[in-house]
Structures are given as C-alpha cells and as structure tokens.
C-alpha cells in the first residue's frame, strides 16, 4: 500500500498523466495496463518517476492507500466499462474510480449510478490538452460527488495547468457534469477552428497572399484581443513548408477534415435540449461536407458568380475579416455556454459558468485571453441568460458588426463558403429581432395540424377553423 494514486491504461494519455502525477511532490503512482508491455516500457523508461507497477487488478488495488483512487485512461465505450467492472471486483466502498477518457456524458450518468450502488465513488472527468497537456498540465473537468472531490481536489490541482496563478480545475458538478462541459468545450473548439479557417480562406482568396504571409497576419492577431492557442498554432501551420515538394504544407494536405465525434455530440445534445448552437453545428457540418469527395467532385461545375473576389484595400479587408472572426467567436462561445446552462438545468447540476471559463484559460485547446472576459461577465452577472449581452461583448459586437456584415456579404457575393461566419451573424440578428417569422410558422402549424397558437394581445390558446369558415376558436393548448 505504497501509492496514493493509480492510473489504469498506459497508452499515450494515461502514461503522460501518470508521469505528470509522479512528478508532483507527495505522489506515489501505481500503474496498470491490460497488456503488460506498456507497463514494463513506462517503468523502464522513467525510473525517476518511482512508479509502482501492477500486473493484475488485485495487485493494483493492493498497492493503493485507502481510499483507493484510480484514474482510468482507456478507450471510451466498452473498454471503460470493462475496466470499471474489473476495478469494482477489487475496490471497496469509499474508493474512487475516475474516468478520464472521452466518455459521452449520458454514459457517465449511467456509470455513476451503477457504481454508486456498490459504495464506490465514480467521477467522470473531462481532460483537455492532448498528450502534451496530460504531461505538463491539462485542463481538468471532474464531475462526481462532493465526497470524492475532497480526496481528488488536491491531487488534481497539483497536476492541472496553471493560468494566471490558478489551477485549471474545478469541481464542475455531479455525475456527468464534467464530461458534459468537456463535450461543449470540444464543440466550441470545432467552431473556433472553422471560423479561423474561414478567415484564412477569405484572406487567401481575397488578397492572393501566400500561406506564409497569412501566417504573419495570424501572428499579429495573436498579439491582440484574439490571442489564443488556436490562432498561434494556425500561424505555425501556415508557415510550414512541405519538405518533399517545397510547397506550403497547407496546400498539400488533403482538404477533408476528420472528426472523432465530440462536435457531433455537442450538436445532438443541443438539439435535444432545444439550444441553438448554430455556429458549432455549421462547423461540424462543414467538416462533413469537406469529407465527401464523391459529392464534391460531381458538384464542381455547379454555377457560381462570374466575378472573382476583388479586394481594393487589402489592409482594410484583413481588419474586417478579423472583426468578423471576433464577433463570430463571441457568438460561438455564447452558444456553448448557453448549452452548458441548459444542460445544468436539465440534469440538475449547479455549474459555475465563470469558473468553467477560468479553467479553460490554460492547458486546453481553446485557451485564450478572451476567456477572462467571459469570467468577468459571469462574475458580474452569474445568471446572465445570454453571454453576448454582457457589456464587454455588446461593445465588441457593436464595434465589429458593420465589418461582420460586409464580410458575410462579400463571401456570399464571391461564392466563398463562410457557414460559421454567416450563421453566427444570423443568430445575432435573430436574437435582436423585435419580431420573428416564427409567427408565420405557428400559423402554418395551426393550418395543417391544428397545433394552435397564442396571440400577442390576449391570454389563451387559439385555433383557426382553416377547413371550415376560418373563424377563430379558443383551444386546448397542444403547441
Ligand atoms: P486509446 O484511446 O488509444 O486507448 C488505449 C488504451 O485502452 C490502452 O491502454 C489499452 O490497453 C486500453 N484498453 C482497451 Br483499447 N480495451 C481495454 C480493455 N477491455 N480493458 C482494459 N484496457 C483496455 O488511448 P489514449 O489515446 O491514450 O486515450 C485514452 C483516453 O483518453 C480515451 O478515452 C481518449 O478519448 C481520451 N482522451 C484523449 C485525448 C488525446 O488527445 N489523445 C485527449 C483527451 C482525452 P492495451 O494496451 O492492453 O491495448
């Protein structure tokens, strides 16, 4: 019983997290992997870590102090269930199983319920930051019980990334709250990446600048309000030359975006919750569109505008693209936080949205200066119903909106797809609208399905006798 924490699953994420844990004062780390070779390799390559290797679940449990605490880093889905079942055989009430894999939050809710019945604590934890984050400091989003947080809190605080002096970890909420927040983090990441890609495309096609020249623009943007990891790495990618051909690397990479599914989960969940995450959805669909070469090849000759994009004032155009990117990014984050708010209401989690924005400032892929503005917004108004209505964002959107509109018009006029820019603008205008054509939709629904409608001038629910004399009657509310 020499270890205070254990890691099960020693592929790249688990072994890096184990090394991170071992490097912190006071930790002794037990390690176990299904196939022995990974354990042997890790222990042999990192003698400095003082790992306690285990070659069976029994040995693993026997090497841990009570309450035993194990972080599971295996493939999400069936493998996670298999490891939990095996750990339950050897763990005792009060012990803690942490799933750090990319689980779907509904699986986490299910697992937490089942595991809790045995008296063992189960914590679903979102881990962001990839391999490097796991090793040097990830952003951690643990759910689970308050009891488990007492033991886990200090350990997780010691290994998390640090942003402005604060560790990037907070107890998000019970059961699946951590994985839910991690899912939305990934959805926002999809939107952020798509927006950056649209900005790059417009600048390239509008100004004819080379990727290396555009890299300088992104590097410059990274010194201002857009400062973020994703903008920084965009400059790095655009600057890269392909060794084999001497061409910009971005020009030899096949233009079909992959996805591991967390963007789709964010959108599917938002659809069930009725939350309009249109920027995230468009970003997810844009990846899907890109990855259908057969459809793209038969569509190549569809008619488009005759005139190619002509930009007269290059510097002014680039600045307008920057503003459109910033405004659309505000929308994407606002939509993402709206989804977290709605998820919290649906599943009974009390989630501190300001704290969520703070733990994303370091370690994770969407880390950005901008998150401080979100934290300030929620500090000032914790129940803010729409993030982008916070004073700072209203000012930023006011400053950006003319440029944003012009860029969306320009893109549409020139036949350049900018789905995330334009859907974000439509969302913004939809929120602003005094009246929406939803009234007509209610009329149509009442016409074909007697779904009824409410009136602006009177309480109650109404139906027009469309197939009769078209008078209006009071109706039962059937929506
Ligand atoms: P993988 O997702 O590739 O999983 C490989 C690990 O799962 C190996 O240790 C493997 O053991 C183990 N495993 C499998 Br597969 N089936 C098992 C079973 N039935 N019982 C026990 N162990 C089993 O590893 P990864 O890329 O390190 O990711 C680990 C988790 O972290 C995943 O859920 C991933 O989604 C998540 N995550 C990844 C990132 C990232 O950037 N890669 C970021 C954040 C979260 P074996 O060696 O015996 O085959």
């Amino acid at each position: 019983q020499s270890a205070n924490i254990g890691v099960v699953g020693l592929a790249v994420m688990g072994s890096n997290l184990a090394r991170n844990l071992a490097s912190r004062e006071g930790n002794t780390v037990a390690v176990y992997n299904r196939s022995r070779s990974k354990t042997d390799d890790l222990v042999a390559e990192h003698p400095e870590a003082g790992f306690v290797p285990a070659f069976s679940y029994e040995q693993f449990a026997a090497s841990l102090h009570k309450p035993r605490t194990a972080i599971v880093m295996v493939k999400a889905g069936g493998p996670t269930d298999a490891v939990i079942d095996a750990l339950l055989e050897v763990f005792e009430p009060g012990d803690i199983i942490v799933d750090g894999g990319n689980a779907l939050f509904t699986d986490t809710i299910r697992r937490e319920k089942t595991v809790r019945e045995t008296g063992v604590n189960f914590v679903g934890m979102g881990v962001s930051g990839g391999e490097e984050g796991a090793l040097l400091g990830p952003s951690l989003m643990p759910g689970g019980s308050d009891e488990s947080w007492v033991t886990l809190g200090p350990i997780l605080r010691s290994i998390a990334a640090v942003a402005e002096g604060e560790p990037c970890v907070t107890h998000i909420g019970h059961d699946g709250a951590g994985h839910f927040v991690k899912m939305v983090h990934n959805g926002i990441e999809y939107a952020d990446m798509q927006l950056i890609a649209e900005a790059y495309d417009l600048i390239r096609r509008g100004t004819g600048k080379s990727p290396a020249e555009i890299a300088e623009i992104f590097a410059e943007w990274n010194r201002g309000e857009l400062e973020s990891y994703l903008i920084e790495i965009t400059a790095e990618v655009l600057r890269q030359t392909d060794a084999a051909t001497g061409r910009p690397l971005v020009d030899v990479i096949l233009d079909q975006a992959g996805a591991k599914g967390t963007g789709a989960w964010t959108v599917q969940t938002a659809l069930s919750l009725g939350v309009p995450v249109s920027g995230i959805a468009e970003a997810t669909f844009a990846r899907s569109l890109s990855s259908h070469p057969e459809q793209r090849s038969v569509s190549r000759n569809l008619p488009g505008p005759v005139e190619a994009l002509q930009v007269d004032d290059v510097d002014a155009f680039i600045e307008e693209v920057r503003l459109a990117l910033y405004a659309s990014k505000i929308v994407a984050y606002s939509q993402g936080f709206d989804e977290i708010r709605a998820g919290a209401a649906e599943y009974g989690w009390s989630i501190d949205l300001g704290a969520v924005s703070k733990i994303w400032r370091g370690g994770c892929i969407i880390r950005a200066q901008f998150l401080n503005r979100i934290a300030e917004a929620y500090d000032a108004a914790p129940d803010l119903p729409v993030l982008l209505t916070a004073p700072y964002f209203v000012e930023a959107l006011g400053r950006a909106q003319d440029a944003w509109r012009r860029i969306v018009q320009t893109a549409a006029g020139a036949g350049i797809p900018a789905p995330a820019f334009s859907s974000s603008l439509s969302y913004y205008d939809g929120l602003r609208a005094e009246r929406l054509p939803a009234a007509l939709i209610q009329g149509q629904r009442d016409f074909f399905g007697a779904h009824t409608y409410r009136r602006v001038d009177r309480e109650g629910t109404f139906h027009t006798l469309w197939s009769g004399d078209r008078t209006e009657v009071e109706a039962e509310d059937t929506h």
Side-chain angles (χ1 to χ4, degrees):
Q1 293 182 348
S2 53
N4 63 316
I5 179 104
V7 177
V8 178
L10 303 176
V12 54
M13 289 297 288
S15 55
N16 279 358
L17 204 66
R19 287 172 57 199
N20 183 353
L21 283 160
S23 72
R24 310 294 160 162
E25 191 66 34
N27 283 340
T28 303
V29 186
V31 288
Y32 172 77
N33 192 70
R34 178 181 61 173
S35 37
R36 179 179 176 133
S37 59
K38 284 199 180 72
T39 313
D40 287 335
D41 291 350
L42 179 67
V43 173
E45 284 162 22
H46 297 283
E48 80 288 351
F51 289 126
V52 181
F55 300 102
S56 67
Y57 285 104
E58 288 76 13
Q59 228 184 349
F60 180 73
S63 64
L64 286 163
H65 295 302
K66 292 181 192 173
R68 299 182 184 86
T69 307
I71 302 182
V72 180
M73 290 302 287
V74 300
K75 210 175 190 60
T80 304
D81 283 314
V83 172
I84 293 169
D85 289 347
L87 285 174
L88 287 179
E89 296 285 317
V90 293
F91 271 25
E92 290 171 310
D95 292 349
I96 303 167
I97 299 174
V98 182
D99 172 22
N102 256 338
L104 180 59
F105 75 97
T106 45
D107 284 341
T108 303
I109 292 175
R110 165 179 63 78
R111 289 174 181 139
E112 202 272 341
K113 201 159 167 254
T114 318
V115 174
R116 193 186 337 126
E117 282 163 11
T118 70
V120 171
N121 291 292
F122 181 77
V123 176
M125 176 169 77
V127 178
S128 179
E131 299 173 27
E132 191 183 287
L135 181 62
L136 302 174
S139 175
L140 297 172
M141 293 152 256
S145 66
D146 298 335
E147 181 192 343
S148 50
W149 180 240
V150 174
T151 307
L152 274 181
I155 298 172
L156 298 181
R157 268 196 285 270
S158 76
I159 59 164
V162 176
E164 299 180 28
E166 294 174 72
C168 294
V169 57
T170 189
H171 184 208
I172 302 284
H174 294 161
D175 55 63
H179 276 134
F180 187 97
V181 165
K182 170 63 174 26
M183 172 187 77
V184 175
H185 163 283
N186 286 26
I188 293 174
E189 176 185 310
Y190 275 53
D192 220 339
M193 292 169 71
Q194 174 67 23
L195 291 168
I196 291 171
E198 290 177 17
Y200 152 75
D201 198 28
L202 281 160
I203 293 176
R204 183 128 190 223
R205 298 219 242 167
T207 70
K209 283 183 184 292
S210 69
E213 288 167 332
I214 300 172
E216 294 314 311
I217 296 169
F218 279 97
E220 175 64 34
W221 289 359
N222 200 39
R223 290 189 277 274
E225 61 195 355
L226 278 171
E227 183 192 337
S228 62
Y229 173 71
L230 282 170
I231 294 280
E232 180 190 329
I233 66 163
T234 298
E236 300 277 331
V237 173
L238 290 176
R239 214 173 269 144
Q240 185 75 11
T241 303
D242 174 46
T245 60
R247 295 171 60 194
L249 180 67
V250 73
D251 287 349
V252 297
I253 296 178
L254 191 67
D255 59 344
Q256 295 174 22
K260 281 193 176 166
T262 43
W265 287 350
T266 311
V267 179
Q268 282 160 348
T269 304
L271 287 171
S272 327
L273 293 169
V275 182
V277 293
S278 49
I280 299 170
E282 287 297 347
T284 310
F285 289 140
R287 290 195 190 188
S288 313
L289 188 149
S290 79
S291 55
H292 286 290
E294 68 302 343
Q295 295 186 340
R296 290 174 59 190
S297 75
V298 299
S299 310
R300 198 140 296 147
N301 293 324
L302 289 173
V306 179
E307 301 269 317
L309 179 53
Q310 276 268 324
V311 171
D312 299 326
D313 186 337
V314 167
D315 290 343
F317 176 74
I318 291 168
E319 175 58 10
E320 295 210 325
V321 171
R322 189 189 71 81
L323 288 165
L325 172 54
Y326 193 51
S328 305
K329 179 175 164 125
I330 293 171
V331 167
Y333 280 70
S334 189
Q335 293 179 341
F337 277 88
D338 195 20
E339 181 165 351
I340 297 176
R341 211 177 45 84
E346 174 73 16
Y347 295 100
W349 301 317
S350 126
I351 299 183
D352 177 342
L353 299 175
V356 168
S357 68
K358 283 188 187 156
I359 65 164
W360 288 348
R361 289 178 307 177
C364 67
I365 306 298
I366 64 171
R367 60 185 183 259
Q369 265 303 320
F370 175 76
L371 289 157
N372 281 313
R373 309 287 87 78
I374 297 179
E376 284 157 16
Y378 285 119
D379 278 350
D383 295 324
L384 192 65
V386 183
L387 175 60
L388 61 75
T389 61
Y392 178 87
F393 297 121
V394 172
E395 185 281 324
L397 291 162
R399 189 157 43 82
Q401 63 135 353
D402 285 341
W404 193 13
R405 294 181 194 289
R406 275 193 295 275
I407 290 298
V408 169
Q409 280 166 357
T410 302
I416 298 174
F421 276 8
S422 53
S423 71
S424 305
L425 180 57
S426 288
Y427 173 84
Y428 174 75
D429 284 331
L431 278 181
R432 285 188 331 105
E434 175 89 30
R435 287 276 294 164
L436 287 169
L440 175 58
I441 290 170
Q442 285 297 82
Q444 292 164 332
R445 295 178 68 241
D446 191 57
F447 188 102
F448 66 67
H451 292 304
T452 76
Y453 50 86
R454 284 177 292 146
R455 298 180 55 101
V456 296
D457 54 357
R458 263 186 290 146
E459 285 294 307
T461 303
F462 303 91
H463 168 57
T464 290
L465 300 169
W466 295 104
S467 47
D469 64 1
R470 302 209 165 180
T471 54
E472 183 179 77
V473 294
E474 285 241 25
E476 292 269 298
D477 184 358
T478 59
H479 296 293

